[in-house]
């Protein structure tokens, strides 16, 4: 019997016993549905993480140098960071590492009061080198950014983020206004374009930037940096740049392995990989759950098929008597198992996609549909049917037609 | 058409003891004959018919069908022969439940490799007197009607040989008679019919009777037959003389 006709026969048989067919589909359906939804939600999360990182860093084409060794956690600030990254380090990296185009530095702090009139808030504050905005590809929405002249003059000027503007100047033009940062007067000279949420989900617009020289000498009185962004001449060379910068800083800081570094050099890509790795451990566990559901579905198919074979001994005998070979019977039952499992798989995909859309609506993340995972799930459902249909089909093919036709 | 010689079939019980169902059976059946195989229950009639129908293979001896020795054929080749050359009719009808009469009749065509000819299935149902019942589920039909669906199924691939195992065994006498009349008519059209029965009345429809006792041929003799003057009468006479 050809394959088209065998599938037709399987569909007719399955439609004659709908309840049993439905039960056979159930496990595979649930397994595939969770697989589809998981893959899609996982992908959506990963894409969103990438977007947030990109918003935070502005670019992926840099190398990041932070104070503190590899075991350091969290965003380094002036209060938490060890005082190890100095101006000399920044200059040495810019001069001695051939791959480096320029180095931007920052002093990051929070819990500092910022006042305007009778309004008082405490945004994050960044002292930035004048090239910071350029390295990050940051845009100024209103007024001007921090210039080299500002930095050289240790000018008391500030560029504020959109959320801070809303908080301090809900109805005024902020340009030219005087604000007080830790009671030191500063003049607002620009507003940053909004950047949205960072990787942690918090807004990155409740912030304020001032020249790094002003920050270190006039505001905080600290001579170390909380971070450097190193722009490369060739962004594809980030691995080599990391190696070179690490070697240089070890030499400058007098560190000889196996002693631990007092700094960390990474690329944003590596950081994203680390974050999504945590996500993928979770999704591996969930994947295991989905796989188990599918496996249980397979076992259900097998047991119901075995029951079906013993109930249909007479049918098998009839088919054999009128010309079906053992191979025909084997194919018939295998096809039935594969078809029922595949239909369960298709229903599961539909269900999973529905779940994905619901999840997208709930988390407000744009849905990402991973077609490769869906194709894989469809294929897997067929394979599950074939695998678990094998024993029942084998038993069906070996039914003795003479015994089956007696009674 | 059929040539069996020194045919034996020994079953093995679950506990390993051998059960000789056929001991040493030899006969020839010519094309167009209408033969009954008659004997007491347990005498080996069904065992013999299953071998003739290529559902079973003999323990020893040979079986030639249309000149081919089929006794050692693989499952695949025996299945092909059952599909093309043989139509089976059983005592218990063996129709598929939850299936219409027409669908039952079409089953043999599924295994030919060619298209399934629904028109032909309907025509055969018409011929066995069930033209109006084609779309009925078999469970809605009477016993006599079910057996006629089974005969229609046996005819689907137009096989030259019909094998029937106690086809009237589950029917009342009126239904049984109509089934026998139908078989007689099919014989008159030129089909070879081998019919197993323990009933002398049924055996009387045929032209020849092979009597089986304890797995051996006890007698092989001509019968008057009820379809006198048919094209098979001469063949029947020569078969009986062989
Ligand atoms: N599968 C089998 N296993 C063991 N013994 C069997 C089997 N089939 C038939 N027999 C035995 O073989 C003998 C002949 O059976 P069968 O051919 O069915 O006789 P009949 O059709 O004439 O009643 C009987 O004694 C029966 O019990
Ligand atoms: Mg019998």
């Amino acid at each position: 019997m050809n394959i088209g006709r065998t599938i037709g026969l399987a569909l007719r048989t399955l439609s004659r016993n709908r309840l049993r067919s439905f039960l056979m589909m159930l496990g595979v359906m649930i397994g595939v549905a969770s697989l589809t939804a998981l893959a899609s939600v996982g992908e959506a999360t990963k894409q969103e993480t990438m977007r947030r990182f990109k918003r935070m860093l502005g670019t992926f084409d840099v190398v990041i140098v932070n104070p503190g060794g590899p075991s350091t956690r969290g965003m380094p600030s002036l209060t938490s960071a060890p005082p190890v990254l100095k101006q000399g380090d920044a200059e040495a990296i810019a001069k001695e590492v051939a791959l480096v185009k320029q180095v931007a530095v920052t002093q990051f702090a929070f819990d500092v009061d910022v006042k305007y009139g009778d309004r008082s808030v405490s945004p994050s504050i960044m002292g930035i080198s004048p090239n910071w905005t350029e390295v990050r590809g940051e845009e100024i929405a209103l007024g001007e950014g921090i210039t080299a002249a500002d930095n050289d003059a240790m000018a008391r000027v500030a560029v504020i983020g959109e959320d801070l503007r809303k908080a301090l100047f809900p109805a005024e033009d902020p340009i030219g206004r005087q604000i007080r940062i830790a009671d030191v007067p500063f003049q607002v000279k620009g507003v940053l374009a909004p950047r949205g949420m960072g990787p942690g989900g918090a807004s990155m617009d409740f912030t304020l930037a001032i020249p790094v020289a002003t920050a270190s000498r006039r505001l905080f009185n600290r001579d170390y940096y909380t971070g450097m962004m190193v722009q490369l001449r060739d962004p594809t060379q980030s691995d080599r740049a990391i190696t070179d910068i690490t070697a240089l800083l070890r030499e400058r800081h007098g560190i000889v392995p196996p002693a631990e570094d007092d700094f960390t050099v990474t690329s944003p890509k590596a950081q994203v990989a680390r974050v999504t790795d945590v996500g993928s451990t979770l999704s591996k566990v969930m994947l295991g759950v989905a796989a188990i559901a599918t496996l249980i579905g397979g076992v259900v198919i097998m047991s119901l098929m075995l029951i079906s074979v013993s109930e249909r001994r007479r049918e098998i005998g009839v088919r054999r008597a009128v010309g079906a070979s053992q191979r025909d019977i084997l194919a018939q039952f295998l096809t039935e198992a594969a078809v029922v499992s595949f239909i369960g798989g298709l229903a599961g995909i539909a269900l999973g996609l529905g779940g994905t859309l619901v999840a997208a609506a709930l988390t407000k993340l744009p849905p990402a549909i991973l077609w490769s995972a869906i194709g894989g799930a469809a294929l897997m459902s067929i394979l599950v049917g074939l695998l678990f249909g094998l024993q029942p089909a084998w038993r069906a093919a070996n039914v003795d037609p003479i015994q089956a036709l007696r009674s | 058409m059929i040539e069996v010689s020194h045919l034996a079939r020994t079953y093995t019980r679950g506990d390993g003891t051998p059960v000789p169902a056929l001991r040493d059976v030899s006969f020839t059946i010519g094309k167009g004959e209408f033969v009954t195989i008659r004997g007491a229950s347990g005498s080996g009639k069904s065992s013999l018919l299953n071998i003739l129908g290529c559902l079973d293979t003999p323990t020893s001896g040979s079986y030639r069908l249309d000149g081919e020795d089929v006794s050692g054929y693989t499952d695949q080749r025996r299945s092909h022969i059952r599909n093309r050359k043989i139509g089976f009719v059983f005592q218990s009808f063996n129709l598929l439940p939850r299936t219409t009469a027409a669908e039952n009749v079409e089953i043999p065509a599924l295994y030919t490799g060619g298209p399934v000819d629904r028109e032909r299935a309907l025509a055969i149902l018409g011929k066995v007197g069930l033209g109006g019942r084609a779309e009925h589920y078999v469970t809605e039909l009477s016993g006599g009607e079910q057996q006629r669906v089974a005969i229609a199924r046996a005819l689907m691939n137009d096989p030259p040989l019909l094998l029937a195992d106690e086809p009237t065994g589950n029917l009342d006498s009126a239904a049984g008679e109509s089934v026998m009349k139908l078989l007689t008519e099919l014989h008159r059209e030129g089909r070879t019919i081998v019919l197993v029965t323990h009933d002398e009345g049924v055996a009387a429809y045929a032209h020849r009777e092979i009597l089986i006792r304890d797995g051996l041929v006890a007698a092989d003799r001509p019968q008057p037959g009820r379809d006198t003057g048919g094209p098979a009468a001469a063949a029947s006479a020569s078969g009986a003389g062989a």
Side-chain angles (χ1 to χ4, degrees):
Chain A
M1 205 160 38
N2 69 40
I3 184 69
R5 195 170 283 169
T6 311
I7 291 173
L9 178 63
L11 287 171
R12 255 174 293 145
T13 308
L14 292 169
S15 71
R16 281 195 192 107
N17 200 331
R18 298 214 174 140
L19 180 62
R20 176 154 68 198
S21 305
F22 175 71
L23 289 175
M24 286 208 239
M25 288 171 195
L26 208 57
V28 174
M29 186 174 87
I30 292 169
V32 166
S34 37
L35 215 64
T36 307
L38 275 177
S40 301
V41 169
E43 179 66 13
T45 312
K46 186 170 152 195
Q47 285 180 9
E48 179 61 15
T49 309
M50 298 278 281
R51 275 194 293 272
R52 288 182 182 183
F53 260 95
K54 183 116 190 179
R55 279 200 296 263
M56 179 179 74
L57 302 165
T59 173
F60 276 6
D61 296 335
V62 289
V63 167
I64 297 166
V65 185
N66 281 328
S71 52
T72 313
R73 288 280 169 270
M75 177 96 163
S77 73
L78 278 176
T79 42
S80 71
V84 291
L85 289 183
K86 304 281 178 73
Q87 178 60 22
D89 293 325
E91 281 166 12
I93 291 170
K95 213 182 305 163
E96 290 171 35
V97 180
L99 293 163
V100 172
K101 191 171 165 196
Q102 59 178 328
V103 179
V105 297
T106 184
Q107 276 191 329
F108 179 81
F110 43 82
D111 286 334
V112 179
D113 288 339
V114 176
K115 292 183 181 141
Y116 175 68
D118 55 1
R119 297 177 211 275
S120 175
V121 290
S122 43
S124 62
I125 297 183
M126 294 196 300
I128 56 170
S129 54
N131 60 354
W132 181 264
T133 334
E134 182 202 332
V135 170
R136 292 174 50 116
E138 203 149 34
E139 281 171 40
I140 303 294
L142 200 65
E144 288 169 17
I146 306 289
T147 62
D150 293 335
N151 199 51
D152 292 344
M154 287 183 271
R156 294 194 307 262
V157 291
V159 176
I160 62 176
E162 177 62 18
D163 288 352
L164 185 60
R165 183 196 66 75
K166 279 187 201 142
L168 294 182
F169 308 100
E172 283 172 78
D173 179 358
I175 307 296
R177 306 281 169 194
Q178 200 176 74
I179 56 175
R180 299 180 80 81
I181 305 173
D183 283 330
V184 179
F186 277 78
Q187 193 178 45
V188 177
K189 68 177 294 199
V191 178
L192 291 164
R195 288 191 293 154
M197 266 184 282
S203 166
M204 294 188 295
D205 297 320
F206 195 56
T207 189
L208 168 158
I210 58 178
V212 70
T214 317
S216 63
R217 309 261 178 81
R218 302 187 105 152
L219 199 62
F220 302 129
N221 199 24
R222 299 280 196 283
D223 69 341
Y224 54 91
Y225 298 127
T226 62
M228 297 182 188
M229 287 186 104
V230 180
Q231 192 176 45
L232 304 179
R233 291 180 199 285
D234 177 1
T236 62
Q237 297 280 341
S238 64
D239 285 347
R240 256 191 64 202
I242 288 172
T243 312
D244 291 354
I245 294 169
T246 304
L248 176 68
L249 288 180
R250 276 181 188 157
E251 192 193 312
R252 289 181 58 84
H253 296 187
I255 295 166
V256 181
E260 201 176 79
D261 291 339
D262 61 0
F263 60 90
T264 314
V265 187
T266 55
S267 69
K269 287 194 187 82
Q271 282 188 333
V272 171
R274 215 167 31 237
V275 171
T276 48
D277 225 39
V278 177
S280 75
T281 322
L282 186 69
S283 61
K284 262 177 208 144
V285 173
M286 309 268 263
L287 218 71
V289 173
I292 287 170
T294 312
L295 225 67
I296 292 173
V299 173
V300 170
I301 289 178
M302 183 166 81
S303 12
L304 291 178
M305 285 293 291
L306 282 172
I307 294 172
S308 173
V309 169
S310 47
E311 278 177 10
R312 289 160 66 192
R313 285 166 51 84
R314 184 182 296 270
E315 174 194 332
I316 296 166
V318 168
R319 292 184 185 278
R320 300 271 282 125
V322 303
S325 62
Q326 287 186 293
R327 208 187 292 170
D328 288 324
I329 300 295
L330 187 83
Q332 179 188 345
F333 280 81
L334 259 187
T335 307
E336 235 173 86
V339 165
V340 79
S341 182
F342 181 58
I343 295 174
L346 289 184
I349 287 171
L351 209 68
L353 285 180
T356 304
L357 295 181
V358 170
L362 290 179
T363 59
K364 299 194 172 64
L365 294 187
I369 289 164
L370 210 57
W371 291 109
S372 60
I374 288 171
L379 195 72
M380 184 190 71
S381 67
I382 296 178
L383 291 179
V384 163
L386 288 176
L387 188 70
F388 288 91
L390 204 59
Q391 201 214 336
W394 184 255
R395 194 173 283 188
N398 284 294
V399 164
D400 177 4
I402 298 166
Q403 299 288 344
L405 290 166
R406 223 201 290 270
S407 58
Chain B
M1 167 147 229
I2 289 173
E3 248 184 289
V4 294
S5 74
H6 305 294
L7 210 61
R9 177 67 170 100
T10 303
Y11 298 107
T12 312
R13 275 215 195 90
D15 59 12
T17 51
V19 183
L22 296 173
R23 294 163 196 274
D24 183 4
V25 174
S26 303
F27 56 76
T28 306
I29 295 174
K31 210 169 187 57
E33 277 199 72
F34 186 173
V35 182
T36 51
I37 295 172
R38 190 164 67 86
S41 178
S43 56
K45 308 180 296 290
S46 295
S47 303
L48 178 56
L49 201 72
N50 288 335
I51 292 172
L52 296 184
C54 290
L55 268 177
D56 197 8
T57 46
T59 311
S60 65
S62 81
Y63 170 28
R64 298 176 82 81
L65 179 62
D66 280 341
E68 285 180 90
D69 188 347
V70 299
S71 39
Y73 272 16
T74 60
D75 171 66
Q76 203 73 17
R77 296 184 75 178
R78 282 187 289 124
S79 299
H80 186 75
I81 291 175
R82 289 197 299 275
N83 188 237
R84 297 310 174 93
K85 293 193 173 176
I86 297 165
F88 270 104
V89 181
F90 305 94
Q91 177 174 357
S92 49
F93 321 141
N94 283 324
L95 301 175
L96 302 193
R98 302 187 214 214
T99 306
T100 64
E103 284 175 318
N104 268 282
V105 175
E106 283 173 348
I107 297 170
L110 294 175
Y111 300 98
T112 58
V116 176
D117 188 347
R118 170 51 63 116
E119 293 303 314
R120 177 172 165 79
L122 296 179
I124 298 171
L125 278 171
K127 182 177 165 173
V128 301
L130 293 172
R133 297 277 200 269
E135 299 306 324
H136 283 238
Y137 284 95
V138 293
T139 38
E140 299 165 9
L141 304 178
S142 72
E145 287 172 327
Q146 290 192 36
Q147 192 60 299
R148 277 184 281 155
V149 173
I151 291 170
R153 180 178 66 195
L155 296 173
M156 183 64 191
N157 287 349
D158 198 19
L161 177 61
L162 284 188
L163 302 178
D165 195 346
E166 312 255 16
T168 60
N170 283 5
L171 301 177
D172 61 43
S173 57
E177 198 179 311
S178 84
V179 162
M180 286 314 298
K181 279 199 177 124
L182 181 55
L183 289 175
T184 304
E185 199 182 308
L186 294 172
H187 169 240
R188 207 179 284 147
E189 288 171 4
R191 259 173 257 267
T192 310
I193 297 183
V194 179
L195 187 152
V196 159
T197 185
H198 61 271
D199 181 341
E200 278 182 67
V202 168
Y205 281 86
H207 295 93
R208 177 181 165 196
E209 174 182 72
I210 297 173
L211 216 64
I212 300 278
R213 191 177 298 142
D214 293 334
L216 292 166
V217 177
D220 187 345
R221 61 197 176 206
Q223 287 274 309
R226 297 227 175 149
D227 58 341
T228 46
S236 158
S238 72

